[in-house]
Amino acid sequence: NEIINKLLDVKRKCPSFIDKTSFINKSAKIEDAVFIYPMCNIDKDVIVQKGTLLNNSVVISHNSIIGECCYISPGVIISGNVSIGKNTFIGSGSIITDGINIGENVKIGIGSVITKDIPDNANVIGNPMRFLNKNLEL
């Protein structure tokens, strides 16, 4: 995150990198310094903010907003109308259901199923999702 923020502070346009095998809907907005790996699918009216990385085979459905400097691991599925705060990590194979709001600086463990809103600075894991002790690292 520090490197991306320093690059963006230079006030020059920092290009995004989108693999040619990924599909980005024409109405989606991809900001500067976004990295989109192979086989991703970004649906209509999605916003991916600066400095975010979408790893292999990420699916983001309609009207979702992904905050700055997030890391979305391989195979994550984000349903429609989801809002994700900046500096959030989502582990491989996680699923986020429709209309969920996720705060800033959140860590979501591998294979989690998110069916409830998550506040800032929370660590969650599992199916069903459960909150972890704040002192516990994922």
Side-chain angles (χ1 to χ4, degrees):
N1 291 346
E2 286 181 41
I3 294 171
I4 294 295
N5 285 328
K6 286 180 183 178
L7 283 172
L8 294 170
D9 284 343
V10 174
K11 305 291 185 223
R12 292 187 184 165
K13 184 156 177 67
C14 188
S16 290
F17 297 93
I18 302 170
D19 186 271
K20 64 182 178 181
T21 62
S22 289
F23 171 78
I24 312 296
N25 188 285
K26 290 180 182 178
S27 67
K29 180 181 177 192
I30 308 299
E31 293 186 359
D32 289 348
V34 170
F35 291 81
I36 300 178
Y37 283 36
M39 305 302 291
C40 291
N41 187 337
I42 312 301
D43 203 358
K44 67 179 184 164
D45 300 321
V46 167
I47 298 171
V48 181
Q49 295 180 344
K50 64 185 178 181
T52 289
L53 186 145
L54 306 178
N55 213 314
N56 298 325
S57 303
V58 169
V59 175
I60 304 175
S61 293
H62 62 91
N63 304 95
S64 293
I65 300 170
I66 312 301
E68 295 179 12
C69 300
C70 290
Y71 182 89
I72 314 294
S73 299
V76 169
I77 298 172
I78 299 171
S79 297
N81 299 306
V82 170
S83 176
I84 298 174
K86 68 181 180 179
N87 300 318
T88 292
F89 171 88
I90 303 175
S92 297
S94 293
I95 298 171
I96 301 170
T97 60
D98 241 11
I100 297 296
N101 293 305
I102 297 173
E104 296 180 359
N105 306 306
V106 170
K107 295 177 187 170
I108 299 173
I110 293 171
S112 297
V113 177
I114 310 304
T115 59
K116 298 177 184 173
D117 291 351
I118 302 173
D120 291 349
N121 305 306
N123 295 333
V124 300
I125 194 165
N127 179 11
M129 170 195 97
R130 66 187 184 279
F131 288 88
L132 297 174
N133 181 323
K134 286 187 177 184
N135 298 325
L136 184 64
E137 291 290 323
L138 289 179

